[in-house]
Amino acid sequence: DVQLLESGGGLVQPGGSLRLSCAASGFSFSNYAMGWVRQAPGKGLEWVSAISGSGGSTYYADSVKGRFIISRDTSKNTLYLQMNSLRAEDTAVYYCARSTTMVLYYFDYWGQGTLVTVSS
Amino acid sequence: DIQMTQSPSSLSASVGDRVTITCQASQDITNFLNWYQQKPGRAPKLLIYDASNLETGVPSRFSGSGSGTDFTFTISSLQPEDIATYYCQQYDDLVTFGPGTKVDIK
């Protein structure tokens, strides 16, 4: 079975950094693009970032471009999101999700999410 | 940037009712449109991809249609387990989700 398990969330001060991880299992990790989608408390879904299966192509929402970095380690079957210069508006549950061989398409499997709270 | 709108923002219907949600894109996205269901406290679930293709294992009471800028999502006979928020998502230019439609039982 496909499983995605996020970790790394927590409380961080404005301007701080945090790295999220997503451990993948049950599928050939390098064959699939992956992405991050977030959801602020009581709000809708917001796409954050995506990365190709090889890691050679990355995409970001304007709201996080220049502050967040998506990456993947195929040897560890793990997706990462390095979040820098965090702001209060980055507070959300962050989901990792599997896409297809196409980087920007649909997300067919999702993790359970990890909560990031940016507050002093 | 492509903006997505959904209507209504919420609705209440009776079990067995036909429910329709519309999604509109700010520009032509051909059929690059997906639909998700999210139940409270849960991760989203893919229901429809490419505007009208039913994801494997999804009940046939769910369907989608449309192309260009206007899309429709339909539940042919609402069931109690369908209580959720439904989101459309475009992938013609990066990725954008619609604001969601919350569906309740009347």
Side-chain angles (χ1 to χ4, degrees):
Chain A
D1 287 2
V2 172
Q3 291 194 19
L4 300 171
L5 185 61
E6 302 97 335
S7 61
L11 176 64
V12 61
Q13 293 189 337
S17 297
L18 209 57
R19 188 177 82 157
L20 305 183
S21 299
C22 172
S25 62
F27 65 101
S28 182
F29 184 64
S30 62
N31 287 349
Y32 289 83
M34 299 291 295
W36 291 96
V37 176
R38 69 185 181 183
Q39 187 168 36
K43 303 298 183 182
L45 302 173
E46 180 187 15
W47 174 75
V48 173
S49 183
I51 186 169
S52 63
S54 67
S57 298
T58 57
Y59 303 85
Y60 298 94
D62 287 345
S63 58
V64 306
K65 195 178 299 181
R67 300 188 299 123
F68 290 12
I69 300 172
I70 190 170
S71 63
R72 62 194 299 161
D73 185 336
T74 300
S75 68
K76 296 182 179 179
N77 284 358
T78 301
L79 175 73
Y80 301 102
L81 186 68
Q82 177 67 43
M83 304 186 295
N84 302 320
S85 303
L86 283 161
R87 308 165 178 167
E89 54 265 36
D90 296 318
T91 294
V93 172
Y94 285 73
Y95 295 100
C96 88
R98 190 184 84 165
S99 186
T100 68
T101 53
M102 288 172 54
V103 183
L104 302 172
Y105 196 3
Y106 57 71
F107 298 106
D108 60 355
Y109 285 93
W110 298 63
Q112 85 290 346
T114 187
L115 176 63
V116 172
T117 303
V118 184
S119 174
S120 55
Chain B
D1 293 7
I2 297 177
Q3 309 301 317
M4 307 299 292
T5 58
Q6 286 182 234
S7 63
S9 57
S10 65
L11 66 90
S12 291
S14 300
V15 172
D17 281 355
R18 183 181 184 87
V19 169
T20 299
I21 298 169
T22 62
C23 174
Q24 187 170 58
S26 59
Q27 63 189 67
D28 189 337
I29 60 171
T30 59
N31 69 329
F32 296 167
L33 193 284
N34 307 315
W35 289 95
Y36 297 84
Q37 174 193 65
Q38 187 180 32
K39 297 182 178 181
R42 304 287 296 275
K45 175 185 176 182
L46 175 68
L47 298 181
I48 303 284
Y49 63 95
D50 293 346
S52 60
N53 293 311
L54 195 66
E55 173 70 346
T56 303
V58 173
S60 59
R61 65 179 180 274
F62 297 102
S63 64
S65 64
S67 65
T69 61
D70 297 303
F71 301 86
T72 300
F73 172 81
T74 300
I75 307 173
S76 61
S77 176
L78 186 67
Q79 300 301 305
E81 59 266 32
D82 300 335
I83 300 311
T85 300
Y86 293 84
Y87 296 92
C88 60
Q89 174 239 316
Q90 70 81 21
Y91 58 94
D92 181 71
D93 179 14
L94 295 181
V95 170
T96 313
F97 287 92
T101 296
K102 186 176 182 180
V103 175
D104 284 328
I105 295 287
K106 190 182 296 182

